[in-house]
Amino acid sequence: MADNFLDTNVIFNYSNYTNYSNKIIEKCYFFIKNKTGDFILCYAVLGELEEVRKKRARIHKAVIEKIKDSSYSFENNSLLSVRDVPKAKQLFEKFKSASVNNVEKSFSDERNLSEIKIEKFLQTNIDEKVIPLSQINPDLVNKIYDIIPNHADSMILASAIQLQSQEGRKLFLFVTADGKDLDPNGYEFLKGQFEINYPKESWKFPELLNFLFTK
């Protein structure tokens, strides 16, 4: 039974599960609920979880502003990054006909329930916290970033590779639901590039489990 190194999105998806959730959120929820093996969390994921929570609050605020004022622009404001705009537009389309008070309450309830679930999960389900931020190998992060141009993902994956490369560490699963930067083909390409370009460094990769590519 392999242990599980959890990516941020798995925990966040788990925290947002309801009876009406999509398949990916459902997979993350039941993977955690029906836990097998130890759950491993790195400090880079802990940091990103906080950023994801803040980002959701900013998206919610922007959507409420748009409902209040149709001329409000998602593209030209200080709340949203370029990557957040599509999610804000999607939420606006869903709630644009609702009253502001109802939307504010719905968003507030969603955030509160999610954050309660995250805190409970962190307190009761984590078996091992690994690789403080100060111990992440910056050279390894840069090598990953050359291929996966996402700094947060590169830090998390570097943490997983460092842990897997420790002497005596059994093969564990890197568990994610990231289809943009950590799809199976991209992951195999990354491993291949390391084997070609850095063979003497003997970095070891965990096995990938990506819920976007499982039945």
Side-chain angles (χ1 to χ4, degrees):
M1 183 186 301
D3 293 336
N4 311 280
F5 187 108
L6 302 180
D7 197 3
T8 311
N9 48 60
V10 175
I11 302 167
F12 193 67
N13 284 343
Y14 161 81
S15 77
N16 289 301
Y17 174 77
T18 70
N19 292 333
Y20 307 101
S21 294
N22 63 41
K23 286 293 183 183
I24 299 305
I25 290 177
E26 188 177 83
K27 286 179 182 180
C28 294
Y29 175 79
F30 283 106
F31 178 81
I32 288 177
K33 186 175 185 294
N34 302 322
K35 178 181 179 182
T36 60
D38 286 353
F39 284 168
I40 305 167
L41 201 67
C42 70
Y43 285 86
V45 163
L46 282 172
E48 193 183 29
L49 267 175
E50 184 60 29
E51 289 305 311
V52 168
R53 289 156 75 171
K54 290 178 181 177
K55 179 174 76 171
R56 173 174 55 189
R58 291 194 299 268
I59 291 172
H60 284 175
K61 183 174 171 126
V63 171
I64 289 167
E65 292 301 320
K66 181 74 170 176
I67 293 171
K68 290 178 178 177
D69 178 5
S70 61
S71 66
Y72 181 86
S73 171
F74 288 137
E75 287 82 2
N76 299 303
N77 67 72
S78 59
L79 290 173
L80 302 179
S81 70
V82 172
R83 294 180 67 170
D84 294 337
V85 169
K87 177 63 175 177
K89 288 182 176 179
Q90 180 185 34
L91 279 177
F92 174 71
E93 287 302 315
K94 181 177 179 180
F95 290 103
K96 64 183 179 181
S97 299
S99 73
V100 171
N101 287 342
N102 287 343
V103 175
E104 286 180 330
K105 184 178 186 308
S106 176
F107 285 169
S108 177
D109 288 347
E110 176 189 321
R111 292 195 304 273
N112 289 339
L113 288 171
S114 170
E115 289 173 13
I116 288 168
K117 288 181 182 177
I118 289 173
E119 289 305 317
K120 185 176 179 180
F121 170 80
L122 295 176
Q123 291 172 12
T124 62
N125 282 278
I126 300 303
D127 299 285
E128 191 176 2
K129 290 182 182 177
V130 299
I131 318 293
L133 295 178
S134 62
Q135 294 179 18
I136 299 176
N137 185 313
D139 184 57
L140 176 59
V141 172
N142 289 336
K143 287 171 179 172
I144 297 170
Y145 187 74
D146 285 341
I147 300 169
I148 297 177
N150 181 305
H151 195 256
D153 284 350
S154 297
M155 290 182 66
I156 292 167
L157 187 52
S159 298
I161 293 169
Q162 280 181 242
L163 184 67
Q164 188 67 85
S165 301
Q166 291 177 358
E167 186 175 353
R169 174 67 70 164
K170 293 182 180 179
L171 184 67
F172 57 78
L173 300 175
F174 182 85
V175 186
T176 187
D178 184 336
K180 184 175 185 298
D181 297 315
L182 292 169
D183 65 281
N185 288 338
Y187 192 71
E188 287 302 312
F189 177 78
L190 179 66
K191 288 168 64 176
Q193 291 300 299
F194 268 69
E195 290 169 2
I196 293 168
N197 297 318
Y198 317 112
K200 294 181 180 179
E201 297 183 15
S202 300
W203 290 114
K204 296 179 182 177
F205 282 66
E207 182 178 346
L208 180 68
L209 173 59
N210 190 324
F211 289 124
L212 286 173
F213 300 91
T214 61
K215 293 183 179 179

